[in-house]
């Protein structure tokens, strides 16, 4: 496994918050189960199941964050961008710099709060994302990738 | 000087409109069948459609300017398309049956633009001379940059033999989607029950009750036969007089009985070559040769790929690939094999999937549910097939890789140059990591989409081998 650059530790905060925010969606099945119990006398067990899901899914996600952090990283060389993500479902992408069409920097509210930026790398067929890096690193990354990409294209 | 389309475009637009709104039409007819307003509604509807078609015709103009094709169209949302000649990747001619007597055609102009899932520009009905004019414009402009293409070499051509076409059509699996369509229609018909006069449905029910198992079986066989015949003729019509020709670096395919379709593209635009074989065709040693292109010319083809040769004897594949593409010196590959742990997972997944059907059948549909047990050997077979047909071979000398996978009783072999691979991805779950297994995804551009060639359950060592080959610096 190549030696990878780790993401900044602040990304863990954004993961924690987004895990909790995503859990809000799980309120919907719970509300549904309660209403169904009130109006159509569905079995009480549905309320329990949805309530357990509401607690368990974010709990598992939160518990896995240190592992996820450890297994997420990127490496940028003149020829390649290598990205790795995931703990249970692991993924390692290799993108030749020569194939990169454009690089987009993105920042949602959570990332802005933590002063991070996501880097989206687009080829003619695929899109890859580095979930979050510090602002000036993001700018550097964009510069580096675009620099390498145009250099390779000039060679070709 | 902006020009209008051929007046037949009005008719073509009308046909198109009728097709688009066929369901609302039927609905209106159905509900108003006994209403005295029916003739009035019909006339109003027809007038509306004719009006739209006329307006559309009046507002559609095109022009071959000095450096670009300019097309203005749209009734409510006006659009002005501007396509520089040197950006044109493929030009496609489609000639529907009603256009043939007038020597008219539809022209589709494609660039490698990425954002839309349709051709950049369509001239719905124009004369053949317009095509010639466009071709001339494009060639003069492209020849300014590149040395003039001299047609000194005679074109390499391939014509489909009628016996080949026949075997192709006979071995097609188009019957399966057809059956799905019939199934869908049947469920629709059952919904219609509520609307149909009771007398009619009662008769039908009595018929069903009276009929024996033999009757039902013969009905099924009858439906199967009919759909086989339809599928047979559909394939014949699609690939009738199929011709592939290569002139220098220009590839042209033409095909079709009632409506002719001609696609021309440059060999340098080829992203990958795909050799596909369904299980049936494997028995007859037949293959289909396709190419993946960066433009959308093949959008109506299966899997978005342009068919180069519909049916080909297995042993001729390699020589034909060298003849018609830029992959020379391609031989029968010697593919890697799957490990025992990988093989087991293919079979396991397939069996688990079949359990989703078998389980409920055994639980709620006895005694007939026992029949579903037959799915197990079938699932085992499919898993075994997928495992046996997964493999790759790296041609170090040629910067080329063979990638093959089997799926749903069909195997596909991709031959790709390293420069045409957009990215690769190795994926594994935490459990696969323990057993040193990994999936390998190879991304290739195909039309406006991405073709993901996924080799599942390779050993980590195998997928790393491909990754390292990919990462080698030239």
């Amino acid at each position: 496994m190549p030696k990878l650059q780790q993401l900044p530790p602040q990304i863990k905060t954004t993961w924690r918050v987004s895990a909790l925010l995503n859990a809000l969606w799980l309120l919907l099945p719970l509300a549904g189960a309660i209403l169904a119990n009130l109006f159509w006398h569905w079995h009480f067990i549905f309320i329990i199941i949805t309530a357990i899901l509401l607690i368990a899914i974010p709990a598992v996600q939160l518990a896995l964050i240190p592992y996820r952090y450890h297994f997420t990283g990127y490496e940028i060389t003149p020829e390649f961008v290598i990205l790795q993500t995931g703990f249970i479902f692991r993924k390692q992408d290799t993108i030749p710099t020569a194939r990169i069409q454009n690089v987009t920097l993105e920042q949602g509210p959570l990332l802005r709060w933590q002063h991070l930026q996501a880097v989206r790398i687009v080829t003619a067929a695929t899109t890859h994302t580095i979930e979050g890096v510090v602002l000036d690193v993001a700018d550097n990354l964009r510069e580096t990738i675009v620099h390498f990409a145009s250099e390779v294209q000039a060679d070709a | 000087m902006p020009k209008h389309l051929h007046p037949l475009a009005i008719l073509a637009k009308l046909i198109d409109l009728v097709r688009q709104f066929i369901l609302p039409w039927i609905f209106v007819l159905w509900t108003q069948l006994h209403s005295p307003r029916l003739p009035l509604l019909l006339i109003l509807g027809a007038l509306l459609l004719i009006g739209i078609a006329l307006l559309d015709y009046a507002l559609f103009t095109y022009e071959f300017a000095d450096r670009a094709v300019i097309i203005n169209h749209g009734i409510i949302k006006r659009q002005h398309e501007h396509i520089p000649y040197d950006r044109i990747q493929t030009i496609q001619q489609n000639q529907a049956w009603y256009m043939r007597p007038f020597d008219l055609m539809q022209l589709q102009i494609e660039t490698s633009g990425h954002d839309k899932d349709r051709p950049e520009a369509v001239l719905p009905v124009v004369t053949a001379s317009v095509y010639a004019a466009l071709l001339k414009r494009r060639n003069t402009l492209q020849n300014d940059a590149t040395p003039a293409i001299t047609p000194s070499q005679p074109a390499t051509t391939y014509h489909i033999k009628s016996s080949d076409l026949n075997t192709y059509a006979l071995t097609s699996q188009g019957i399966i989607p057809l059956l799905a369509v019939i199934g869908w229609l049947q469920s629709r018909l059952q919904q219609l029950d509520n609307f149909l006069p009771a007398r009619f449905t009662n008769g039908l029910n009595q018929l069903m009750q009276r009929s024996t198992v033999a009757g039902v079986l013969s009905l099924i066989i009858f439906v199967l036969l009919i759909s086989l015949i339809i599928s047979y003729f559909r394939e014949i019509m699609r690939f009738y007089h199929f011709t592939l020709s290569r002139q220098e670096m220009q590839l042209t395919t033409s095909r079709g009985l009632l409506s002719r379709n001609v696609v021309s593209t440059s060999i340098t635009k080829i992203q990958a070559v795909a050799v596909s074989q369904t299980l049936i065709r494997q028995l007859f040693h037949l293959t289909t040769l396709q190419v993946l292109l960066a433009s959308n010319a093949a959008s109506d083809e299966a899997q978005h790929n342009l068919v180069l040769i519909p049916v080909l004897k297995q042993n001729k594949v390699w020589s034909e690939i060298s003849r018609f593409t830029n992959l020379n010196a391609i031989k029968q590959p010697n593919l890697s094999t799957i490990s025992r742990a990988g093989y087991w997972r293919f079979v396991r997944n397939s069996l688990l999937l079949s359990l989703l059907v078998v389980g409920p059948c055994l639980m709620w549909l006895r005694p007939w549910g026992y029949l579903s047990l037959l799915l197990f050997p079938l699932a085992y077979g499919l898993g075994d097939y997928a495992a046996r047909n997964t493999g790759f071979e790296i041609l170090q000398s040629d910067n080329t890789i063979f990638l093959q996978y089997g799926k749903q009783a069909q195997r596909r072999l991709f031959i790709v140059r390293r420069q045409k691979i957009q990215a690769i991805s190795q994926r594994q779950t935490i459990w696969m990591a323990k057993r040193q297994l990994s999936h390998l995804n190879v991304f290739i551009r195909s039309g406006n989409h991405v073709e993901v060639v996924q080799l599942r359950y390779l050993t980590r060592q195998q997928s790393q081998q491909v990754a390292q080959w990919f990462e080698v610096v030239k």
Side-chain angles (χ1 to χ4, degrees):
Chain A
M1 206 144 279
K3 184 78 201 85
L4 295 173
Q5 193 93 35
Q6 291 218 305
L7 300 183
Q10 297 97 293
I11 193 79
K12 287 193 270 187
T13 316
T14 67
W15 285 347
R16 286 192 199 105
V17 175
S18 71
L20 292 175
L21 287 178
N22 284 337
L24 291 179
W25 290 109
L26 292 170
L27 285 172
L28 284 179
L30 179 63
I34 292 173
L35 288 178
N37 179 269
L38 285 179
F39 291 108
W40 303 296
H41 309 290
W42 281 28
H43 202 283
F44 192 68
I45 191 89
F46 289 108
I47 298 181
I48 295 175
I49 291 173
T50 47
I52 290 175
L53 283 180
L54 176 65
I55 307 293
I57 290 177
V60 171
Q61 280 183 347
L62 288 174
L64 285 177
I65 279 178
Y67 297 97
R68 181 175 167 195
Y69 181 72
H70 182 75
F71 279 90
T72 301
Y74 61 92
E75 188 196 355
I76 291 165
T77 71
E79 290 85 21
F80 287 93
V81 177
I82 294 173
L83 307 176
Q84 188 175 303
T85 54
F87 169 62
I88 291 186
F89 299 99
R90 292 172 196 177
K91 193 168 94 170
Q92 186 187 323
D93 294 350
T94 310
I95 312 129
T97 329
R99 305 285 176 286
I100 295 174
Q101 301 275 328
N102 58 51
V103 176
T104 314
L105 300 184
E106 276 180 350
Q107 196 180 40
L110 279 182
L111 289 177
R112 189 171 309 152
W113 166 51
Q114 289 296 320
H115 305 290
L116 295 177
Q117 236 169 0
V119 183
R120 254 172 15 120
I121 300 167
V122 183
T123 72
T126 54
T127 303
H128 311 262
T129 311
I130 304 177
E131 286 179 85
V133 288
V134 188
L135 296 185
D136 41 341
V137 174
D139 278 332
N140 274 341
L141 275 183
R142 184 185 53 186
E143 289 298 317
T144 322
I145 294 172
V146 170
H147 174 75
F148 284 143
S150 57
E151 199 169 69
V152 176
Q153 240 130 47
D155 285 357
Chain B
M1 180 64 196
K3 279 183 283 193
H4 285 281
L5 298 168
H6 189 275
L8 201 71
I10 304 171
L11 185 67
K13 182 74 187 176
L14 263 179
I15 293 174
D16 195 40
L17 282 171
V18 169
R19 240 189 237 162
Q20 266 178 31
F21 296 106
I22 192 88
L23 283 177
W25 274 105
I26 290 177
F27 177 77
V28 169
L29 273 182
W30 197 265
T31 51
Q32 306 290 324
L33 204 51
H34 303 293
S35 147
R37 284 175 304 178
L38 186 67
L40 184 70
L41 279 174
L42 281 181
I43 291 168
L44 272 180
L47 279 180
L48 182 69
L49 288 191
I50 292 171
I52 293 176
L54 280 174
L55 201 59
D56 189 73
Y57 174 80
L59 292 176
F60 192 114
T61 59
Y62 67 96
E63 182 182 357
F64 295 155
D66 285 342
R67 308 206 67 83
V69 187
I70 302 168
I71 295 174
N72 309 302
H73 64 104
I75 296 176
I76 293 165
K77 195 170 115 193
R78 288 293 286 167
Q79 293 187 30
H80 309 277
E81 321 248 15
H82 211 96
I83 304 157
Y85 296 116
D86 49 357
R87 293 291 159 78
I88 296 174
Q89 295 244 343
T90 55
I91 301 176
Q92 185 171 183
Q93 314 165 37
N94 288 307
Q95 204 170 32
W97 54 272
Y98 58 84
M99 297 183 187
R100 295 187 79 171
F102 307 99
D103 205 17
L104 296 169
M105 57 182 65
Q106 182 208 51
L107 286 184
Q108 291 186 13
I109 302 167
E110 322 252 352
T111 69
S112 66
H114 200 175
D115 57 347
K116 281 184 283 184
D117 196 12
R118 55 194 174 88
E120 266 69 27
V122 182
L123 299 175
V125 184
V126 290
T127 56
S129 63
V130 172
Y131 173 68
L134 177 62
L135 214 58
K136 204 175 135 202
R137 285 275 192 176
R138 182 182 73 153
N139 287 342
T140 44
L141 215 85
Q142 289 190 339
N143 287 353
D144 285 348
T146 53
I149 300 161
T150 47
S152 56
Q153 269 187 22
T156 319
T157 52
Y158 162 88
H159 295 283
I160 195 164
K161 276 188 265 168
S162 48
S163 61
D164 280 355
L165 181 58
N166 199 27
T167 24
Y168 178 79
L170 277 178
T171 53
S172 85
Q173 280 182 338
I175 186 164
I176 293 161
L178 260 175
L179 281 181
V181 168
I182 289 168
W184 179 80
L185 274 180
Q186 206 178 10
S187 67
R188 282 298 105 123
L189 282 180
Q190 274 164 4
Q191 287 176 4
L192 275 187
D193 263 5
N194 308 335
F195 297 102
L196 288 177
R199 202 151 33 92
F200 183 72
T201 40
N202 284 345
L204 207 69
N205 282 339
Q206 274 170 16
L207 190 77
M208 288 304 275
Q209 279 159 8
R210 254 185 272 137
S211 59
T212 53
V213 175
V216 173
L217 269 182
S218 56
L219 188 72
I220 290 173
I221 290 171
F222 177 73
V223 168
L224 272 174
L225 262 178
I226 291 285
S227 53
L228 250 182
I229 291 168
I230 292 173
S231 133
Y232 174 83
F233 281 108
R234 227 180 42 159
E235 294 297 317
I236 294 268
M237 274 174 19
R238 216 155 79 93
F239 286 110
Y240 188 77
H241 272 194
F242 181 90
T243 309
L244 167 69
S245 71
R246 174 182 181 170
Q247 180 91 52
E248 304 282 316
M249 295 308 267
Q250 200 71 26
L251 274 187
T252 309
T253 70
S254 64
R255 61 177 175 83
L257 175 63
L258 288 183
S259 52
R260 290 266 327 141
N261 168 285
V262 180
V263 181
S264 65
T265 185
S266 163
I267 285 182
T268 51
K269 303 281 175 351
I270 293 177
Q271 304 289 307
V273 175
V275 183
S276 318
Q277 249 181 335
T278 57
L279 192 58
I280 303 173
R281 293 198 179 130
Q282 225 164 308
L283 296 177
F284 294 97
H285 301 286
L286 298 172
T287 59
T288 300
L289 202 60
Q290 292 168 308
V291 289
L292 278 60
L293 296 171
S295 71
N296 218 13
S299 52
D300 69 319
E301 308 262 1
Q303 293 145 339
H304 297 284
N305 305 329
L306 182 69
V307 172
L308 267 197
I309 298 180
V311 58
L312 188 60
K313 279 272 182 235
Q314 211 166 329
N315 51 15
K316 281 208 185 146
V317 168
W318 318 111
S319 62
E320 294 294 313
I321 289 178
S322 334
R323 232 152 60 96
F324 287 108
T325 71
N326 49 359
L327 293 162
N328 304 317
I330 292 293
K331 288 201 297 279
Q332 170 89 41
N334 185 15
L335 298 174
S336 66
T337 50
I338 212 90
S339 66
R340 281 183 75 87
Y343 179 86
W344 152 241
R345 277 165 175 77
F346 270 111
V347 172
R348 179 200 66 186
N349 288 358
S350 187
L351 288 176
L352 281 179
L353 205 64
S354 67
L355 200 60
L356 283 181
V357 181
V358 175
C361 278
L362 285 188
M363 229 182 286
W364 292 302
L365 288 176
R366 272 169 301 181
W368 287 97
Y370 287 119
L371 272 180
S372 67
L373 284 174
L374 288 173
L375 277 179
F376 277 135
L378 183 70
Y380 178 85
L382 284 177
D384 175 81
Y385 181 85
R388 279 179 202 282
N389 284 300
T390 297
F392 66 93
E393 191 197 0
I394 295 168
L395 291 184
Q396 292 290 359
S397 56
D398 209 24
N399 275 331
T400 304
I401 191 166
F402 289 91
L403 299 157
Q404 181 176 279
Y405 64 81
K407 206 179 185 179
Q408 290 147 8
Q410 183 184 23
R411 73 172 175 207
R412 307 191 71 203
L413 172 71
F414 291 83
I415 309 165
V416 204
R417 281 266 163 80
R418 179 161 58 193
Q419 302 92 286
K420 298 294 186 189
I421 296 177
Q422 301 291 339
I424 65 169
S425 176
Q426 299 177 71
R427 292 162 194 221
Q428 55 181 181
T429 61
I430 188 168
W431 305 281
M432 285 166 69
K434 283 203 185 106
R435 300 301 301 268
Q436 294 284 314
L437 293 173
S438 175
H439 302 316
L440 174 75
N441 287 7
V442 176
F443 300 96
I444 308 166
R445 172 110 189 241
S446 166
N448 281 345
H449 306 264
V450 52
E451 175 87 42
V452 185
V453 182
Q454 188 178 45
L455 307 193
R456 293 171 69 78
Y457 297 115
L458 298 178
T459 61
R460 184 70 183 178
Q461 196 201 347
Q462 286 174 325
S463 76
Q464 278 299 95
Q465 195 188 337
V466 176
Q468 272 156 20
W469 165 78
F470 188 53
E471 285 169 26
V472 161
V473 186
K474 274 177 287 182

